[in-house]
Amino acid sequence: MDRPTAPAGAPDEITFRDFLEDLKRARLAVITLVCVFTLAGVLLGLFSTKEYEATTVLMPAAPSGGSSGLGGLAQLASEYGGLASLAGINLPGASARDEALAVLQSELLTQRYIEQNHLLPVLYASKWDSAKGAWKSQEPKKIPTLWLANRYFKNDIRAVVDDRKTGTIELTIRWKNPQQAAQWANGLVQMANSYLRNKEIGEAERNIEYLNGLVSKTNVVQEQQVIYALMQQQIDKEMIARDREEFALKVVDPAFPPDKPSSAGPLLRGLLGCVLALFLGVVIVFIRRAWRA
């Protein structure tokens, strides 16, 4: 029985044998491509700036206080409007963990840390003249700003991972200097704790002052009991905040300067370049074969 023939004008079917023949004929071009990409990868690994990662592992600290110590007065406090919020009752949706995480990644904290530690010349060393102690260019558009540094920090330097399964938070700093990477990671945590601790102390002081004013305005015993209970709770919160250094974020494992860079070395980059070149070579040969067919 005769084999059916393809209709006139139909494209030839590409077989694996034909593809191998095309690949064999183009072997010189593929080998050249592999050599170029491999060499480029090795050179990139040799001459590119090495980067290091320093990571600190954190856990949310225990809450400094709440409404649990008020007992039955909590229910009574809820009957007096604004007093309930001072007792920690009906708090807004965000938890202390979420607040600490937000502050750790906030622009306010990052810009304050960059400014206090004079990191602009460090982050933009190529634009800084260390001999003169000034920027190489005095044009306003070419002088780095805190806003630009914050973008740089957020996109390329700092990474925060919140692991809800283990309850830990990891802050990683990726930078070309291992000592600075570890210093920045630990410093950001210290500044976040300091900011949240001062915020708690300030709120407690304002609440105590407000409650002191309320005491003199009422003769109702039950109201006075609620006010005194809330006042004691605020005093306790202030005392705990002043005494606790790791106020919101407890350091489980501080960041240490890494010995080895996290960026790929010349061998790995060369291998990646070789694999990429092989893939591109195969794709190009296949496209050429399909185009001719």
Side-chain angles (χ1 to χ4, degrees):
M1 185 176 179
D2 296 336
R3 294 176 59 185
T5 57
D12 296 334
E13 182 180 353
I14 301 175
T15 65
F16 184 67
R17 179 177 297 178
D18 294 334
F19 176 73
L20 288 179
E21 288 295 328
D22 286 345
L23 191 60
K24 184 178 180 181
R25 284 192 292 268
R27 63 183 181 277
L28 183 59
V30 173
I31 292 173
T32 303
L33 190 66
V34 168
C35 291
V36 170
F37 273 63
T38 302
L39 181 60
V42 171
L43 292 176
L44 184 63
L46 287 173
F47 296 104
S48 61
T49 303
K50 293 182 176 63
E51 292 186 330
Y52 300 82
E53 288 186 356
T55 301
T56 177
V57 181
L58 315 166
M59 288 195 72
S64 61
S67 59
S68 57
L70 294 177
L73 292 176
Q75 179 64 33
L76 186 60
S78 64
E79 299 176 7
Y80 293 95
L83 297 181
S85 61
L86 295 177
I89 305 169
N90 299 326
L91 286 174
S95 66
R97 178 194 184 96
D98 294 331
E99 182 183 15
L101 195 61
V103 169
L104 194 61
Q105 303 175 85
S106 67
E107 293 187 6
L108 172 65
L109 186 81
T110 305
Q111 291 187 13
R112 183 178 296 180
Y113 187 81
I114 293 172
E115 187 174 24
Q116 289 185 4
N117 292 276
H118 310 289
L119 295 184
L120 278 179
V122 179
L123 295 173
Y124 299 96
S126 61
K127 299 183 178 182
W128 179 257
D129 189 335
S130 56
K132 296 181 179 179
W135 297 108
K136 293 179 180 178
S137 174
Q138 296 303 313
E139 296 183 30
K141 292 183 178 180
K142 294 184 178 180
I143 297 177
T145 63
L146 284 173
W147 184 87
L148 285 174
N150 179 69
R151 299 292 95 189
Y152 182 26
F153 227 87
K154 178 180 179 181
N155 297 327
D156 301 313
I157 299 176
R158 184 197 61 224
V160 178
V161 177
D162 181 19
D163 191 339
R164 297 282 175 167
K165 291 183 179 180
T166 62
T168 59
I169 299 170
E170 290 187 0
L171 170 64
T172 300
I173 296 296
R174 183 182 177 91
W175 187 242
K176 57 187 178 182
N177 185 301
Q179 286 75 27
Q180 288 177 332
Q183 181 183 353
W184 296 354
N186 295 324
L188 282 169
V189 175
Q190 292 174 2
M191 180 170 281
N193 274 324
S194 178
Y195 172 82
L196 290 167
R197 181 173 60 250
N198 292 335
K199 178 173 176 286
E200 180 88 346
I201 293 172
E203 289 178 353
E205 289 176 342
R206 289 191 297 271
N207 291 341
I208 292 170
E209 183 179 356
Y210 172 72
L211 291 169
N212 267 322
L214 289 181
V215 172
S216 60
K217 296 180 181 179
T218 179
N219 295 321
V220 180
V221 175
Q222 285 184 326
E223 290 185 3
Q224 290 179 341
Q225 288 177 340
V226 172
I227 293 171
Y228 283 127
L230 296 179
M231 192 180 300
Q232 183 60 51
Q233 188 229 19
Q234 295 301 310
I235 293 173
D236 292 342
K237 286 173 65 176
E238 182 183 356
M239 289 177 61
I240 292 173
R242 290 185 183 277
D243 187 57
R244 182 185 293 175
E245 206 169 306
E246 296 181 339
F247 175 73
L249 296 167
K250 184 177 179 62
V251 178
V252 178
D253 189 13
F256 294 98
D259 293 330
K260 296 182 179 180
S262 58
S263 53
L267 291 179
L268 180 57
R269 289 178 186 265
L271 179 61
L272 291 175
C274 177
V275 173
L276 178 60
L278 283 173
F279 175 76
L280 288 177
V282 170
V283 170
I284 292 172
V285 170
F286 180 81
I287 293 175
R288 289 180 60 186
R289 176 68 185 182
W291 183 263
R292 288 201 309 268

